[in-house]
Amino acid sequence: MSKVMSLLELQQSFYSAVFDAESTENTEFYECIKPTVNLTGEQSVNIYKDSILGGLTEALFNIYPVCVKLVGEMFFNHMVEDYLKRYPSDSPDIGDYGSGFSNYIADFEPAKELEYLADLVTLEWSWHRAFNASDTLAADICSIADLSTVAEVDQGSIHFVTTPSATLVRSMFPIQQIWQVNQEDYVGDGIVNLDDGAVCLVVWRNATFGMRIDVLSEQEYEFLQAVIDGKSFSEIATLPCASDLPGILGRCMQTGLIAGFTLVN
């Protein structure tokens, strides 16, 4: 006679059956599933399992098209099968799945020769998140136009805010070039020299120009990282990027990367 499970135990067992097919506890769970004329308990669960894993696999193929193109569909599918076991989904939103793929690839021995691949996957994940990011700032964020109303004594307490879609990416390799030459509309010889060196990038969505991958200087990257880290204007003024702070700030506000600010005393 099969064990009577609580709802929580059933949920945990179902999760295990989907993401850990080798678990010895799955047999006990299958016995709790009432069979039909044509299907055993395990076969019934496998219908849902195939649907869930198939959906997650398709999502990863859609999020990482350049990675798929570089390694081939068969190799990518092999990586995904193992990734699904090691990184089960923990969000009801399928769009959240795949954030750990870069870390997984960095430790995936068969992909070690493609030393730039993990960083490229980080870039593709950043594109995915930027594309789906909200356009709306929090209600307590002041407009850039309101900067003129801030008293001089309070200017050091300004905390700038980036547009919600902005994500910073660094790499020792020219990953933005690798990404670009693998786009369907790319025209050129497709050659990328990995010795071109390190890059600092911001991936974001601009209201006028759409999705963007912009190359940053070290100072621009330092400034934006400080903004994202929540540093005040007075704190940013002590950083090396302060030597070109008026220019950097002006460019970021003009393009829309800096979308607002708060005053924190």
Side-chain angles (χ1 to χ4, degrees):
M1 183 176 178
S2 61
K3 171 187 173 183
V4 177
M5 293 185 175
S6 67
L7 176 59
L8 177 60
E9 289 174 324
L10 281 170
Q11 291 171 332
Q12 292 172 333
S13 296
F14 179 78
Y15 188 89
S16 174
V18 171
F19 293 104
D20 187 7
E22 306 302 322
S23 174
T24 57
E25 298 179 359
N26 289 343
T27 300
E28 183 178 1
F29 172 59
Y30 296 143
E31 291 175 352
C32 294
I33 308 300
K34 184 177 180 180
T36 67
V37 174
N38 299 315
L39 297 173
T40 65
E42 181 176 0
Q43 290 171 330
S44 296
V45 171
N46 283 343
I47 293 174
Y48 293 96
K49 174 183 176 180
D50 292 343
S51 177
I52 292 170
L53 297 184
L56 293 174
T57 299
E58 182 180 6
L60 293 178
F61 267 82
N62 291 333
I63 293 169
Y64 300 112
V66 175
C67 182
V68 174
K69 188 174 183 179
L70 290 172
V71 304
E73 290 189 10
M74 185 177 297
F75 188 86
F76 187 84
N77 198 63
H78 175 65
M79 288 196 298
V80 167
E81 286 180 359
D82 190 50
Y83 178 76
L84 291 173
K85 297 175 184 177
R86 296 173 182 266
Y87 293 82
S89 174
D90 58 2
S91 170
D93 184 352
I94 197 170
D96 291 336
Y97 190 66
S99 61
F101 200 46
S102 176
N103 292 333
Y104 169 80
I105 287 179
D107 295 328
F108 188 64
E109 195 61 38
K112 287 291 186 181
E113 290 186 4
L114 299 176
E115 50 188 348
Y116 59 83
L117 191 61
D119 288 352
L120 176 69
V121 163
T122 297
L123 180 63
E124 291 203 275
W125 177 255
S126 300
W127 178 279
H128 166 70
R129 298 305 287 177
F131 183 83
N132 292 286
S134 171
D135 288 318
T136 307
L137 294 171
D140 62 339
I141 305 298
C142 300
S143 166
I144 290 297
D146 294 330
L147 278 173
S148 60
T149 67
V150 179
E152 184 175 352
V153 69
D154 294 325
Q155 289 178 0
S157 299
I158 292 174
H159 286 68
F160 289 107
V161 178
T162 63
T163 184
S165 64
T167 301
L168 298 178
V169 179
R170 296 191 78 139
S171 177
M172 295 298 296
F173 305 99
I175 53 174
Q176 87 286 5
Q177 295 182 40
I178 299 172
W179 181 90
Q180 184 177 24
V181 302
N182 282 283
Q183 299 306 300
E184 291 184 1
D185 59 353
Y186 176 76
V187 177
D189 58 21
I191 297 174
V192 176
N193 184 358
L194 295 182
D195 293 329
D196 280 353
V199 290
C200 300
L201 308 170
V202 58
V203 184
W204 63 299
R205 191 178 70 247
N206 179 282
T208 303
F209 302 107
M211 289 293 298
R212 298 174 62 96
I213 299 176
D214 290 339
V215 179
L216 304 172
S217 68
E218 284 286 345
Q219 289 181 316
E220 289 169 333
Y221 186 95
E222 181 182 50
F223 168 74
L224 287 171
Q225 186 63 68
V227 170
I228 291 172
D229 289 343
K231 294 187 182 299
S232 68
F233 190 56
S234 61
E235 291 173 315
I236 293 174
T238 67
L239 301 175
C241 65
S243 62
D244 188 30
L245 191 52
I248 294 173
L249 182 57
R251 290 192 295 274
C252 289
M253 289 193 297
Q254 185 176 23
T255 59
L257 263 172
I258 295 297
F261 71 96
T262 61
L263 279 177
V264 182
N265 296 314

